[in-house]
Structure formats: C-alpha cells, structure tokens
Amino acid sequence: MFAVGFAMVFRFHPARVVYFPPAPANAPPGAPGSAPHLAPGPAPESAPPLAAAPAAASGMSAAEERILADVNQARANYGLNPLVPMAALTAVARAHSRDMATHDYFAHDSPGHGSAEQRIAAAGIHYLMMGENIYTETYPNSEGLAQRAVQGWLHSPPHRKNMLSPSFNRTGIGIARTPGGTSYVTQDFVEQ
C-alpha cells in the first residue's frame, strides 16, 4: 500500500502579506500561478532509516539537495531568487521530520516541541516571516522521494505559495525515514 500526505503552515509579520493569484485554466506551464514543470533528473539516493546521511560538502543528503535544487528551479521559472540553505534551519527541519517519524504523527505542531514558530525560535533563528511545508509517503524505497514531495507541493496552492514567496530567502530541509518505509520531509522557510 502506498500513502501520501502533505501540509503547510504560513506565518508572517502583519505588514508582509504575499498573494499568488491562481493561473487561468488554459495557462501554459510556467505562467504565473501555474505549477512549473521540472525536468527529470537523476534519482536521489535512498534515505537510511530515520535519517538522511549528510553529503560531505554541504551537510545535506542527496535527497535534501535534490529538493533544494527542484524548489530553486521552480523559483527560477518565476524569476525569483534562489533560497539559500541555512544550517540551523536544516537542523530544525531534520529534528521535526525525525520527531514525526519516531512518534508516528504528521503535523506542524509537535506534541513535545511545539509549533514551527516555537521550534525555529528555540533554535535562536530570528525572522520576519516563516513558512513550513511537510510531506509524508509510504513507499517500499525512497527513490524519487524528493521529486514526489516537490511536485506534490507545487500542485497544492498553499504549498506553492510558500515555495514561491519572493520574501523567503533562507531554507532548511530535513528528511527522516522509518524502518517500515514511511518518509517524512520538512522544509522550513524564513525571511531574514
């Protein structure tokens, strides 16, 4: 059995509201408000149980790097600046994915660690606006996880809003996978 789910949270400073109107039904791919179509690339490495092994140079796993690349490609399709990975925000995202995997829940609010805002503040990260996208799926292996997560978010207007907000400039991505094959992905966004 395969299962997929995703959710998002978007919080902002009251003076900073960003709205992306939906694209007309007949809009070509890449038109404002439409989900950009990303070119397929090499498959990411499978994530080991409950953690994604960091790559040596960036500190991100191959799947986390792929999510960042795909999100930044979508942003480029709209003429937006790329998101810059932030180590402290990546640690927050990884901890939330690990917490969801360990405690078998799927939500922005952690029973033990609070809301996304509380987790980010507890890490000492200051921001003007924040957002969070989460994704889960149960597949026999994690090959293609990054692409499925990003495509799912792109086809969901609230998730796409976080991904394509011109205000966000920093991100953190974390992936955890249970021994039973359920993967959890968290992408946190901040404007600094």
Side-chain angles (χ1 to χ4, degrees):
M1 171 167 191
F2 302 114
V4 175
F6 47 94
M8 61 79 60
V9 65
F10 180 73
R11 304 284 192 267
F12 54 90
H13 185 278
R16 305 289 307 252
V17 178
V18 180
Y19 172 70
F20 288 95
N26 61 351
S34 68
H37 296 279
L38 303 177
E45 297 175 16
S46 296
L50 293 181
S58 70
M60 296 174 73
S61 72
E64 291 164 348
E65 285 182 348
R66 180 59 190 257
I67 289 171
L68 178 63
D70 286 356
V71 168
N72 279 338
Q73 180 60 57
R75 291 175 64 84
N77 290 347
Y78 285 90
L80 300 171
N81 290 328
L83 296 170
V84 176
M86 182 180 189
L89 201 53
T90 295
V92 170
R94 282 184 181 154
H96 187 58
S97 290
R98 190 176 315 113
D99 188 50
M100 289 189 291
T102 301
H103 297 101
D104 192 28
Y105 73 93
F106 181 66
H108 292 286
D109 292 342
S110 164
H113 304 286
S115 68
E117 297 95 330
Q118 291 168 323
R119 295 188 310 272
I120 291 170
I125 300 168
H126 301 282
Y127 61 89
L128 299 173
M129 180 171 59
M130 63 78 53
E132 179 174 82
N133 287 350
I134 57 176
Y135 175 87
T136 189
E137 68 176 28
T138 301
Y139 273 68
N141 66 59
S142 61
E143 185 174 326
L145 169 66
Q147 295 92 332
R148 289 188 299 272
V150 172
Q151 286 301 313
W153 290 334
L154 281 171
H155 289 94
S156 165
H159 296 88
R160 188 174 63 237
K161 181 178 179 178
N162 276 346
M163 290 174 58
L164 300 179
S165 170
S167 298
F168 291 139
N169 53 17
R170 302 282 184 267
T171 193
I173 301 163
I175 299 173
R177 184 172 171 84
T178 68
T182 300
S183 296
Y184 294 87
V185 180
T186 302
Q187 183 170 19
D188 289 321
F189 306 85
V190 295
E191 174 189 8
Q192 289 191 314

